[in-house]
């Protein structure tokens, strides 16, 4: 696989470049990739040395596993699973720890930002099914850590790996939380989809999970202007069918039990009977504690949770993305060929047409 295909878009190369001659830009598939200004490049090689796809970061074996729910039942509605992500952010806010998480801005760019209020926690909670530009906060995090303060970063495993490679040294003040992830499509596809729905000018907020679970839901200022189930919305269907993820997601090196983060959060699929607490909702969060630092940080978050310790094997067994990357749908190849020419919606319908024709010819 070429480096262009394996690039996860973490942006560590661009942020580390001493000449600032690497820019992260959308390629013809809408994927953020590094573009080098050859004229200013001094061939120092720092970008290659920093890239987590060239030099895999240390991975940690989970030591402790919990099934957990936020004590605040509102989080069971607004978060993706049990609301552990939201509890981590609230703990940081209360204790003056700088925490970074993501949401779509008013132009529907998904970007990481620093959590500064309870409203920011509400914006951050719930899964956004496209790729966030997390590299925008890497330099700020480094400054905080260099000042001897603590910082918490929540993101996909490739983003956590990118941040750690960029930072180079293991800061004691840094806590990384990686998500179990089944792939991220470029955010450009979300904007293309909104445009096809003629909602690009109106859309102020979008959600996939949480309150409007498994529905692609779009708000203008206060009201819902579009809501369609994952089985009928074209973007959502293609996301779950593994047709539109970034190319690197199909061979993700972090879709395994060993993790790049101090803490891992995900959906606790395959949770058996609980012994000490009753089930709070159908969607428990899976929490894996992978380092001593992660364990001691999580002790602070625990008072805001209902939780029970479980066997790590149970947490891993039910979750395919802790074992292998998602299988690439055969439609993906045709989608990628068609997208630059005919655009998002036509590439989706075009790819299924191509596969139907191929199947017919084969028969
Ligand atoms: C693209 C994607 C695919 C996922 N696939 C799986 C899967 O296959 N299996 C599984 O078990 N879990 C998966 N998850 C994780 C899962 O759905 C929940 O995010 C996780 O269970 C935590 O839920 P929570 O209720 O504890 O946290 P919440 O309170 O909902 O907090 C979630 C945190 O994740 C951050 N986040 C949301 N979207 C993104 C994003 N695109 N990039 C970076 N950070 C983000 C939020 O800002 C927030 O801090 C996926 C998440 C994403 C974003």
């Amino acid at each position: 696989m070429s480096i262009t295909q394996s690039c996860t878009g973490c942006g560590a190369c661009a942020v580390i470049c001493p000449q600032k001659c690497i820019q992260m830009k959308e390629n013809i598939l809408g994927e953020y990739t590094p573009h080098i200004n050859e004229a200013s490049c001094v061939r120092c090689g720092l970008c290659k040395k920093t890239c987590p796809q060239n030099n895999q970061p240390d991975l940690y074996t989970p030591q402790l596993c919990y099934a957990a729910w936020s004590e605040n039942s509102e989080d069971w509605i607004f978060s993706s699973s049990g609301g552990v992500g939201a509890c981590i952010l609230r703990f940081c806010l209360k204790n003056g720890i700088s925490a970074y998480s993501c949401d779509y801005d008013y132009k529907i760019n998904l970007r990481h930002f620093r959590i500064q209020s309870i409203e920011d926690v509400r914006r951050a909670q719930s899964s956004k099914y496209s790729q966030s530009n997390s590299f925008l906060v890497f330099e700020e995090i480094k400054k905080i850590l260099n000042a001897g303060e603590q910082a918490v970063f929540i993101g996909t495993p490739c983003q956590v790996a990118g941040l750690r490679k960029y930072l180079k040294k293991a800061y004691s003040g840094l806590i990384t939380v990686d998500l179990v992830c089944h792939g991220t499509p470029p955010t450009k596809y979300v904007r293309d989809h909104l445009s096809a729905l003629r909602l690009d000018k109106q859309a102020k907020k979008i959600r996939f999970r949480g309150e409007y679970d498994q529905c692609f839901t779009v708000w203008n200022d206060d009201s819902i202007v579009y809501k369609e189930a994952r089985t009928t919305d074209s973007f959502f269907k293609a996301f779950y069918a593994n047709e539109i993820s970034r190319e690197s997601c199909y061979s993700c090196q972090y879709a395994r039990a060993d993790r790049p983060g101090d803490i891992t959060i995900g959906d606790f699929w395959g949770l058996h009977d609980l012994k000490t607490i009753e089930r709070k909702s159908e969607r428990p969060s899976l929490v894996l504690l992978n380092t001593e630092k992660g364990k001691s940080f999580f002790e602070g978050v625990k008072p805001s949770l209902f939780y029970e310790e479980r066997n790590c094997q149970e947490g891993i067994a039910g979750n395919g993305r802790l074992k292998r990357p998602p299988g690439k749908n055969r439609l993906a190849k045709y989608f990628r060929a068609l997208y630059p020419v005919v655009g998002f919606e036509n590439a989706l319908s075009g790819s299924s047409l191509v596969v139907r024709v191929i199947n017919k010819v084969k028969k």
Side-chain angles (χ1 to χ4, degrees), residues 39-51:
S40 341
C41 175
V42 293
R43 312 273 184 278
C44 68
L46 207 50
C47 49
K48 283 188 191 155
K49 279 188 217 144
T50 306
C51 173

Side-chain angles (χ1 to χ4, degrees), residues 68 75 78-87 89 100-104 110 112-113 121 123-132 154-156 159 179-185 209 239 265-269 283-286 319 321:
D75 289 339
F78 291 105
S79 284
S80 277
S81 6
V84 173
C87 289
L89 296 178
Y100 294 83
S101 195
C102 68
D103 191 19
Y104 294 96
L110 184 59
H112 269 65
F113 67 102
V121 175
R123 282 182 57 203
Q125 67 189 135
S126 146
S127 295
K128 288 91 188 176
Y129 287 148
S130 68
Q131 188 169 36
S132 169
I154 305 185
T156 59
Q159 292 172 335
L179 304 171
V180 181
C181 177
H182 100 241
T184 49
R209 295 258 316 242
F239 168 73
I265 55 175
D267 304 315
F268 205 134
W269 302 120
R283 297 189 318 218
S285 295
L286 166 74
N319 203 316
R321 297 295 72 80

Side-chain angles (χ1 to χ4, degrees), residues 292-344:
E292 290 306 318
K293 235 187 339 172
K295 281 197 240 174
S296 104
F297 176 83
F298 195 66
E299 282 305 307
V301 183
K302 269 181 173 177
S304 60
L305 297 171
F306 297 111
Y307 60 89
E308 182 173 294
E309 190 179 331
R310 306 295 293 182
N311 185 304
C312 287
Q313 277 322 309
E314 183 189 10
I316 294 161
N319 203 316
R321 297 295 72 80
L322 292 172
K323 289 186 265 192
R324 68 193 83 82
K328 185 175 178 179
N329 193 318
R330 60 193 288 230
L331 295 170
K333 178 173 147 194
Y334 304 108
F335 172 82
R336 293 172 74 80
L338 290 169
Y339 174 78
V341 189
V342 298
F344 183 71

Side-chain angles (χ1 to χ4, degrees), residues 105-339:
D105 67 12
Y106 69 102
K107 285 189 173 165
I108 314 296
N109 289 308
L110 184 59
R111 44 173 68 221
H112 269 65
F113 67 102
R114 184 177 174 166
I115 302 293
Q116 288 175 308
S117 63
I118 285 292
E119 292 72 43
D120 284 350
V121 175
R122 180 52 59 81
R123 282 182 57 203
Q125 67 189 135
S126 146
S127 295
K128 288 91 188 176
Y129 287 148
S130 68
Q131 188 169 36
S132 169
N133 286 344
S134 59
F135 53 85
L136 297 173
V137 298
F138 285 6
E139 283 176 303
E140 190 177 317
I141 292 177
K142 191 176 191 172
K143 275 189 201 141
I144 287 166
L145 296 170
N146 279 338
E149 291 168 25
Q150 267 192 300
V152 168
F153 176 87
I154 305 185
T156 59
C158 54
Q159 292 172 335
V160 167
L163 171 65
R164 286 185 46 209
K165 278 287 171 202
Y166 159 71
L167 292 171
K168 284 194 247 168
K169 65 179 195 194
Y171 286 89
S172 59
L174 176 70
I175 299 288
T176 51
V177 181
D178 70 58
L179 304 171
V180 181
C181 177
H182 100 241
T184 49
T187 299
K188 171 129 189 353
Y189 300 169
V190 177
R191 290 194 297 271
D192 290 342
H193 186 45
L194 290 171
S195 192
L197 295 168
R198 299 185 191 284
L199 293 172
D200 47 331
K201 302 272 184 307
Q202 299 184 49
K204 294 280 172 354
K205 180 175 128 180
I206 56 174
R207 284 291 175 269
F208 301 92
R209 295 258 316 242
E211 189 184 6
Y212 296 93
D213 200 23
Q214 312 282 12
C215 288
F216 189 110
T217 311
V218 184
W219 283 257
N220 62 9
D221 289 318
D222 294 320
S223 39
I224 292 174
V225 287
Y226 176 82
K227 185 176 165 198
E228 200 64 47
R230 68 176 251 200
T231 45
T232 42
D233 177 76
S234 56
F235 176 94
F236 219 152
K237 264 199 305 186
F239 168 73
Y240 267 116
N242 294 320
E243 182 181 351
I244 55 172
S245 288
R246 200 185 163 99
E247 184 63 26
S248 57
C249 298
Y250 302 114
S251 52
C252 175
Q253 56 169 329
Y254 309 106
R256 57 200 284 180
D258 289 348
R259 312 299 301 163
D262 298 293
I263 299 173
T264 297
I265 55 175
D267 304 315
F268 205 134
W269 302 120
L271 173 66
H272 299 141
D273 289 342
L274 294 165
K275 296 181 186 72
T276 55
I277 52 165
E278 50 178 85
R279 211 174 239 272
K280 299 295 169 192
S281 77
E282 278 316 301
R283 297 189 318 218
S285 295
L286 166 74
V287 181
L288 298 172
L289 303 182
N290 313 321
T291 63
E292 290 306 318
K293 235 187 339 172
K295 281 197 240 174
S296 104
F297 176 83
F298 195 66
E299 282 305 307
V301 183
K302 269 181 173 177
S304 60
L305 297 171
F306 297 111
Y307 60 89
E308 182 173 294
E309 190 179 331
R310 306 295 293 182
N311 185 304
C312 287
Q313 277 322 309
E314 183 189 10
I316 294 161
N319 203 316
R321 297 295 72 80
L322 292 172
K323 289 186 265 192
R324 68 193 83 82
K328 185 175 178 179
N329 193 318
R330 60 193 288 230
L331 295 170
K333 178 173 147 194
Y334 304 108
F335 172 82
R336 293 172 74 80
L338 290 169
Y339 174 78

